[in-house]
Every structure is written in structure tokens, then in C-alpha cells.
């Protein structure tokens, strides 16, 4: 599923895993994903550890859009990933799910043609209080997205997560992104089964 088609598959919600080992690959996929959402009139959010704004601004200009305009109209927002994952000093799935739901529901009085978020997953989560609930959180994201015009991409660094965690991560994401293209994930197990086996 090329990125240009992502906006056509939001009616039932999509939960996508991007496993990356190259930072340029992560950034390119992130910017293409967000620019596509802006062009499609969707509300977009980015949870990242770096200043992705300059890179995204360049992509927006190339596509004839303005990142500043998207900010002003409430269509695009950035949040520091540490602030998202570790508010209160712990990993709290319930708070995070509420945060996702609020992002979708808070339209700012505007009508958007869907919602999309890209989230860089912190490799510190497994070591933090509550971090053992990471897979539980990912399963609950599947439930949250059902029937919502919403798409979430979770970015995992292959070099910074253990193999066992990455295998569990693959089992609970219905879609996987490879080099910016999205496809059904052959390792996906239904969420309830994956949670029981975790």
C-alpha cells in the first residue's frame, strides 16, 4: 500500500508497526505519512524524540503545503515522546489510551477527514515502572481504533529493543510498514489471543 493510498483506508482504523534500523528510513516514512495526512485534510500528530519539524517543513513545501498553516489551523501537532510515554514517571496504558482518544475527539471545532498519529516508541519503556504492560497497551490500541477513521504508526528501533519484545510487537500489529509501504502483517495474531499469550 503506497503512502499515497493511506488516506483511502481509514474507515476501519489501522494500527501499523514500523521496524527500522536506519534513522533516515524512519524520518522519510514519518514525513511522507504526515504530509499525506495534511494533503488529505486529516488531523495529524507526531510523537518523536527529535526535532522533526524542519524535515517535515521541507516536505510540505515540496508538496505545495505549509506546515505553519497546518499548525495554525490545528491540523498538525508535535509532542516530545518522553512527555507522552513517561508522564508521571511511569508507563501508564490507561493514560496513553485516553491521550489517543482525546486526540481523535478534540477537533477544535473543525471537521477533519480522519486522524493519524506517528509515535516513536521509547526503548526505555521496558525498564520503566509499568513498562511490562507495553504489549497490553498495543493490544488496547487495536480495540480503540476499531470503527474509527484513525491510523496509528508505531516506530520501533530494531537496534534498541530485544528480539523477544519485537516478536511480541509484531504479533499485535495488523499492519507492518517496510520502506514506507504498508502491508498486512503475516505475523499478526488476533489481539485477544496475542494478549493471552504475552
Amino acid at each position: 500500500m503506497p503512502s499515497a493510498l493511506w488516506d483511502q483506508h481509514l474507515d476501519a482504523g489501522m494500527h501499523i508497526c514500523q521496524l527500522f534500523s536506519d534513522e533516515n528510513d524512519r524520518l522519510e516514512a514519518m514525513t511522507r505519512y504526515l504530509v499525506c495526512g495534511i494533503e488529505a485534510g486529516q488531523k495529524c500528530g507526531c510523537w518523536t524524540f527529535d526535532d522533526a519539524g524542519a524535515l517535515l517543513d521541507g516536505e510540505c513545501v515540496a508538496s505545495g503545503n505549509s506546515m505553519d498553516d497546518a499548525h495554525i489551523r490545528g491540523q498538525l501537532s508535535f509532542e516530545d515522546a518522553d512527555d507522552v510515554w513517561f508522564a508521571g514517571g511511569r508507563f501508564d496504558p490507561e493514560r496513553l489510551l485516553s491521550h489517543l482518544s482525546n486526540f481523535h475527539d478534540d477537533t477544535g471545532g473543525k471537521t477533519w477527514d480522519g486522524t493519524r498519529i506517528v509515535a516513536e516508541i521509547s526503548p526505555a519503556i521496558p525498564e520503566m515502572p509499568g513498562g511490562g504492560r507495553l504489549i497490553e497497551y498495543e493490544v488496547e490500541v487495536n480495540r480503540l481504533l476499531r470503527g474509527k477513521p484513525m491510523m496509528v504508526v508505531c516506530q520501533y528501533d530494531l537496534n534498541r529493543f530485544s528480539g523477544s519484545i519485537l516478536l511480541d510487537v509484531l504479533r499485535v500489529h495488523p499492519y507492518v510498514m517496510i520502506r514506507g509501504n504498508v502491508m498486512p502483517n503475516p505475523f499478526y495474531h488476533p489481539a485477544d489471543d496475542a494478549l493471552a499469550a504475552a
Side-chain angles (χ1 to χ4, degrees):
M1 185 186 307
S3 60
L5 303 180
W6 289 345
D7 59 299
Q8 300 175 21
H9 297 267
L10 279 164
D11 55 334
M14 293 181 74
H15 189 198
I16 303 162
C17 175
Q18 181 191 12
L19 302 180
F20 69 93
S21 59
D22 181 86
E23 184 67 4
N24 289 331
D25 183 35
R26 182 187 74 81
L27 290 169
E28 181 181 356
M30 180 193 74
T31 54
R32 289 173 61 202
Y33 171 77
L34 292 173
V35 169
C36 182
I38 292 169
E39 291 175 345
Q42 297 157 3
K43 183 181 175 185
C44 301
C46 180
W47 304 349
T48 184
F49 291 101
D50 52 25
D51 182 10
L55 184 61
L56 182 59
D57 191 37
E59 290 290 328
C60 282
V61 169
S63 67
N65 291 283
S66 165
M67 191 179 73
D68 288 339
D69 288 347
H71 272 294
I72 290 168
R73 62 180 173 260
Q75 187 182 10
L76 174 66
S77 62
F78 290 91
E79 293 186 67
D80 183 82
D82 275 335
D83 293 340
V84 173
W85 301 124
F86 304 131
R90 63 180 295 107
F91 181 82
D92 182 346
E94 287 77 22
R95 180 188 58 77
L96 290 163
L97 291 164
S98 178
H99 192 61
L100 275 175
S101 184
N102 290 341
F103 184 88
H104 174 265
D105 295 339
D106 184 11
T107 63
K110 299 182 183 296
T111 301
W112 303 112
D113 293 329
T115 306
R116 63 177 63 194
I117 289 177
V118 58
E120 187 178 358
I121 309 300
S122 172
I125 288 174
E127 308 304 321
M128 292 292 290
R133 300 180 66 194
L134 174 60
I135 302 305
E136 176 187 344
Y137 161 75
E138 294 283 23
V139 168
E140 292 299 329
V141 171
N142 286 330
R143 294 188 180 128
L144 176 69
L145 295 180
R146 287 177 189 159
K148 283 187 169 63
M150 187 175 187
M151 183 160 41
V152 176
V153 173
C154 301
Q155 297 181 314
Y156 284 85
D157 189 338
L158 286 165
N159 299 311
R160 302 184 68 187
F161 284 90
S162 71
S164 61
I165 289 176
L166 292 172
L167 285 173
D168 285 341
V169 163
L170 278 172
R171 286 173 25 223
V172 296
H173 285 80
Y175 297 90
V176 63
M177 181 189 294
I178 299 174
R179 294 192 174 95
N181 295 313
V182 178
M183 60 196 71
N185 177 10
F187 301 102
Y188 170 66
H189 290 195
D192 289 343
D193 295 342
L195 179 59

